């Protein structure tokens, strides 16, 4: 089992996809000061951040017409919507017709040797952020990526402006009452601010409005502890570079979080037990790193991060060295515990053909091996990991799937 090749790579080669159309561990993500932006809308971030591409898009008369039309819509909303929150949302969101119009224009101006072609080859494919579309033409990857980012903006506005139900209402819902007059005033100001930045690209007012909506709701969770490679995970990232992987049966020991239900409790009893189980495996030399996974989830809008509190427990109580602990402070569900761990293993340069170990209590351990894969398939659209051997009632093997790099458009707190 230890020589099993990563699950996705096998699947992709079975479909006849070439190695150049696979994600690359050496690819550095293009980041922005707003960590929430690039994590949710990576294509749109690239549109902004790649100078020649930005110049090309800003000079396109058809795309400029769309920007001017969107600006007119927002100005009309500011004049006429008053306290009607859905009215502002409608003006800022992309309509089905607008998404299609932009898709058609991008397809028309795309060429393999121009800036859009280079974008796909040099960024979209190697980043893995749109991995589920990599089995199509390069032009199709571009169009699908645009449609995903447009729908992601619409989803964010739908939940955090209009008050639509998110996937998990108990923990991720809007912070305001739609009947609150103050909230209507905030929404009006948000729409006005979306036009005050120096918008040159067709999507910028809508993206600005969505990002500000997350900020108003105190929902910038996707940016928690970032940049982690320069902060909470710096010691571990430096240690990864020096690790002799042949000395260990597994690459990591993953500890899924267990959020408390009381606001004043920082770390649940379940979290403590899981840390102790993982520490025991670490002390046996099973893996050089422990990944603690869990965001600010339970209870609603808690200020405590599961990953941070578990790391603190491991270092202060169990005396595990900091350079052996990797924080993953964004996962909000068990599905994304596995997915986000796979992402960090890939991004941090760990061997992708080496199994990891999940270490948790018995009930969750069997849930992860027996039930969770199909839930992941239903909710994420793919399997973020492949089961290996069951090692005990509390430990099992897993192999990462590089499809885990795919951005999730309808989870803006942990895309």
């Amino acid at each position: 089992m230890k020589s099993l090749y990563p699950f996705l790579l096998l699947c992709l080669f079975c479909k006849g996809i070439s190695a150049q159309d696979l994600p690359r561990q050496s690819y550095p993500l293009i980041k922005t000061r707003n960590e929430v932006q690039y994590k949710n809308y990576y294509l749109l971030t690239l549109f902004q951040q790649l100078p020649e591409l930005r110049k090309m898009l800003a000079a396109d008369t058809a795309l400029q017409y769309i920007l001017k039309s969107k600006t007119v819509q927002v100005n009309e909303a500011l004049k006429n919507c008053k306290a009607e929150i859905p009215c502002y949302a409608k003006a800022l969101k992309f309509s089905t017709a607008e998404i299609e119009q932009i898709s058609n224009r991008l397809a028309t101006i795309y060429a393999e040797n121009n800036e859009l072609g280079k974008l796909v080859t040099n960024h979209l494919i190697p980043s893995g952020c749109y991995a589920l579309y990599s089995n199509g033409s390069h032009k199709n990857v571009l169009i699908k990526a645009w449609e995903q980012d447009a729908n992601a903006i619409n989803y964010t506005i739908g939940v955090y402006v209009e008050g639509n139900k998110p996937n998990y209402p108990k923990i991720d819902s809007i912070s305001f009452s739609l009947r609150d007059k103050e909230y209507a005033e905030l929404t009006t100001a948000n729409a006005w601010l979306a036009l005050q930045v120096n918008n040159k690209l067709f999507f910028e007012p809508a993206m600005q409005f969505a990002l500000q909506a997350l900020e108003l709701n105190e929902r910038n969770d996707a940016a928690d502890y970032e940049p982690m490679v320069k902060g909470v995970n710096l010691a571990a990232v430096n240690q990864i570079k020096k690790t002799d992987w042949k000395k260990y049966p597994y690459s990591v020991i993953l500890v899924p979080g267990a959020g408390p239900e009381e606001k004043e409790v920082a770390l649940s009893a379940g979290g403590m037990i899981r840390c102790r189980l993982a520490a025991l495996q670490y002390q046996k030399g099973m893996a050089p790193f422990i990944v603690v996974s869990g965001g600010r989830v339970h209870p609603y809008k808690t200020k405590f991060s599961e990953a941070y509190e578990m790391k603190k427990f491991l270092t202060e109580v169990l005396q595990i060295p900091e350079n052996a602990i990797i924080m993953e402070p964004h996962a909000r569900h068990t599905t994304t515990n596995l997915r986000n761990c796979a992402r960090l293993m890939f991004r941090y340069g760990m061997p992708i053909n080496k199994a990891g170990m999940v270490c948790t209590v018995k009930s969750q351990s069997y849930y992860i091996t027996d039930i969770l894969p199909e839930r992941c398939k239903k909710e994420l659209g793919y399997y973020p990991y492949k089961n290996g051997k069951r090692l005990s009632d509390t430990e099992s093997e897993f192999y990462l799937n590089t499809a885990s790099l795919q951005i999730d458009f309808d989870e803006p707190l942990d895309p």
Side-chain angles (χ1 to χ4, degrees), residues 295-333:
R296 292 184 288 117
V297 186
H298 298 284
Y300 176 74
K301 295 194 78 172
T302 180
K303 300 300 181 184
F304 293 111
S305 164
E306 294 172 14
Y308 177 82
E309 298 302 332
M310 287 193 290
K311 178 180 178 179
K312 186 177 176 182
F313 186 80
L314 283 166
T315 56
E316 295 182 4
V317 179
L318 303 183
Q319 302 298 303
I320 304 297
E322 184 184 11
N323 66 3
I325 303 171
I326 297 171
M327 267 179 60
E328 188 295 291
H330 302 117
R332 305 187 69 75
H333 322 291

